[in-house]
Amino acid sequence: MTTPLLQVSGLKKHFASHVAGGATVKAVDDVSFAIDEGQTLGLVGESGCGKSTTGRSVLRLIEPSAGQLRFMGQDLGGMAAGPLRAMRRHMQMVFQDPYASLNPRMTVGEVLEEPLVVHRLHDRATRRRKVAEALDMVGLNPSYAARHPHEFSGGQRQRVGIARAIITRPKLVVADEAVSALDVSIQAQILNLLKQLQQDLGLTYLFVSHDLAVIRHVSDQIGVMYLGRMVELGPRDAIYAAPRHPYTQALLSAIPREHPDAPRQRIILQGSIPNPAAPPGGCHFHPRCPSCMQTCKTVAPAAVEVSPGHTVACHLYR
Ligand code: SF4
C-alpha cells in the first residue's frame, strides 16, 4: 500500500468570532482525508462550510487549531517556520481571483520569477527560461512576460496564476474556487489545462469548489462538507452514482444528470445554512434533513465506512 502524499487527520480550525460576541466558530471541525500522489480530491459544500479554510489550513497559510498534517512523509503540522518555508515550494495555491492575487505593479515575468527567487532556485538566466517555459505550459506566449496583469483577460490572468503555482514544480496544488469567477466556456478551458498539467507534471490537487459540476469534472475523490464537518467522503463515481448522506443527495439532485433519461427527483432543502457560530446540536444538518430522527438532534454522527474508501457521517448508517 502506498503512503498518501497528503494525510490530514482530525484537522480543526476554530476562530473567535467578533460578530458573534466572541463565540467560537468551529470553521473546520475534526476533518480527515488523504490524497494519493497524482490524484485529485474535490472538496465541495455551500459557502461557509469550511472548505476554503480547510485548504488554507492544509498549507498552513492559516494555522490549524488541532490535527495532524503529513505531507511527503513529513509532519507538516509540527514543522518550524524555516523548514516550513522551504517546504512551500512543494505546495502551492491557485486563488479564485487571479487579479487580486497578482501584484499589479509587477510584470508577469516578475510575478512568475518571484517564487524562484524566494526559494533560491536557479541562476538568473535559468529563471528567465523557466518563466518562458511556464508561460508556454499554460498556453500563453512567452513574450507576455513583459506585460502587466491588467493587460490580460480573466482567463489569461488565471493562466498566469497557474503558471506561478507550478513554476517551482510543486507536488501539491490547492485550487480554491479557481474557476468560479470565470465564464463557463473559459472555466472548461482552465479545467482542461489543470488536468493536462496534472498529467504532465504528476501534480496532486486539493480542489475546493461550491460547484458540483466542476468537482465532478476534476476529482478522483470527493469530500462533502457541511458546517465545518466532512459529512461524506469517497470515490467520485460511488458518490455520484449513489450519494448516501441526505445532504449530498440534496446537493446532487440539483445538478443536471449526465444521462438526461436517468431520473433523479430534485430534493428541496428546508431553510438556509445555519449560523456557524451557533450551529444546531447533534447532527448540524438535522433542522434541514428530510430523514431527521430524534437521536440526530443530540448526538453528532461518527463517520462510518459504507463501502471501501467511502465514509458517511449519518445515523442512517449506524
Ligand atoms: Fe439527517 Fe440524522 Fe443523518 Fe443528520 S444524522 S443527515 S439529521 S438522518
Side-chain angles (χ1 to χ4, degrees):
M1 207 164 102
T2 53
T3 309
L5 181 77
L6 173 71
Q7 179 116 37
V8 176
S9 311
L11 181 72
K12 296 183 182 180
K13 179 61 191 174
H14 297 175
F15 296 102
S17 164
H18 303 298
V19 283
T24 301
V25 176
K26 296 180 178 178
V28 180
D29 192 13
D30 206 4
V31 162
S32 302
F33 58 85
I35 319 179
D36 288 335
E37 190 156 6
Q39 298 279 296
T40 300
L41 171 69
L43 266 188
V44 70
E46 290 164 289
S47 163
C49 71
K51 56 191 188 305
S52 291
T53 308
T54 299
R56 278 158 216 249
S57 300
V58 161
L59 298 185
R60 286 190 58 195
L61 294 176
I62 51 178
E63 280 301 321
S65 307
Q68 281 88 49
L69 298 171
R70 286 196 72 77
F71 176 63
M72 293 173 68
Q74 297 189 53
D75 174 15
L76 190 64
M79 206 171 267
L84 179 63
R85 262 196 304 280
M87 195 54 131
R88 288 207 186 283
R89 67 169 287 202
H90 300 297
M91 42 187 212
Q92 295 286 331
M93 183 136 187
V94 176
F95 297 91
Q96 173 178 5
D97 181 350
Y99 195 55
S101 64
L102 301 175
N103 184 336
R105 285 188 297 278
M106 290 166 84
T107 65
V108 162
E110 289 166 341
V111 164
L112 296 188
E113 194 179 346
E114 191 179 50
L116 300 178
V117 174
V118 167
H119 292 289
R120 299 196 178 93
L121 297 172
H122 315 299
D123 58 35
R124 195 149 189 241
T126 311
R127 288 199 302 266
R128 293 284 156 89
R129 195 163 47 74
K130 294 278 174 192
V131 166
E133 201 176 281
L135 284 168
D136 188 49
M137 288 185 86
V138 299
L140 293 175
N141 190 316
S143 69
Y144 289 2
R147 298 189 186 181
H148 289 83
H150 68 85
E151 296 176 62
F152 293 104
S153 69
Q156 287 175 322
R157 283 202 291 260
Q158 194 52 296
R159 286 177 191 267
V160 174
I162 292 167
R164 184 179 157 98
I166 61 160
I167 201 162
T168 59
R169 293 291 187 272
K171 293 274 188 195
L172 174 71
V173 173
V174 175
D176 187 6
E177 300 283 7
V179 297
S180 303
L182 305 172
D183 292 344
V184 172
S185 60
I186 309 291
Q187 279 192 0
Q189 292 172 16
I190 298 294
L191 292 175
N192 289 337
L193 170 65
L194 288 167
K195 281 191 139 183
Q196 188 61 50
L197 291 171
Q198 181 168 42
Q199 272 178 26
D200 295 346
L201 304 176
L203 296 172
T204 303
Y205 289 136
L206 176 58
F207 207 97
V208 174
S209 177
H210 70 283
D211 186 333
L212 273 157
V214 165
I215 288 289
R216 176 168 60 188
H217 189 68
V218 297
S219 306
D220 301 293
Q221 264 197 105
I222 290 174
V224 182
M225 291 187 68
Y226 188 79
L227 277 182
R229 294 178 181 165
M230 188 78 85
V231 297
E232 185 158 5
L233 174 68
R236 173 194 60 184
D237 293 344
I239 289 189
Y240 275 88
R244 307 297 283 271
H245 195 282
Y247 179 59
T248 316
Q249 289 169 352
L251 283 183
L252 283 178
S253 78
I255 63 165
R257 305 296 313 262
E258 275 191 342
H259 305 291
D261 343 337
R264 179 178 281 162
Q265 207 179 353
R266 176 93 193 254
I267 303 166
I268 308 289
L269 287 177
Q270 303 300 313
S272 52
I273 199 161
N275 178 359
C283 170
H284 288 340
F285 187 57
H286 84 253
R288 302 173 76 191
C289 180
S291 307
C292 180
M293 302 169 283
Q294 198 52 38
T295 184
C296 304
K297 297 177 183 171
T298 51
V299 182
V304 172
E305 191 166 50
V306 290
S307 59
H310 184 177
T311 57
V312 185
C314 170
H315 291 306
L316 293 172
Y317 303 97
R318 278 178 302 176

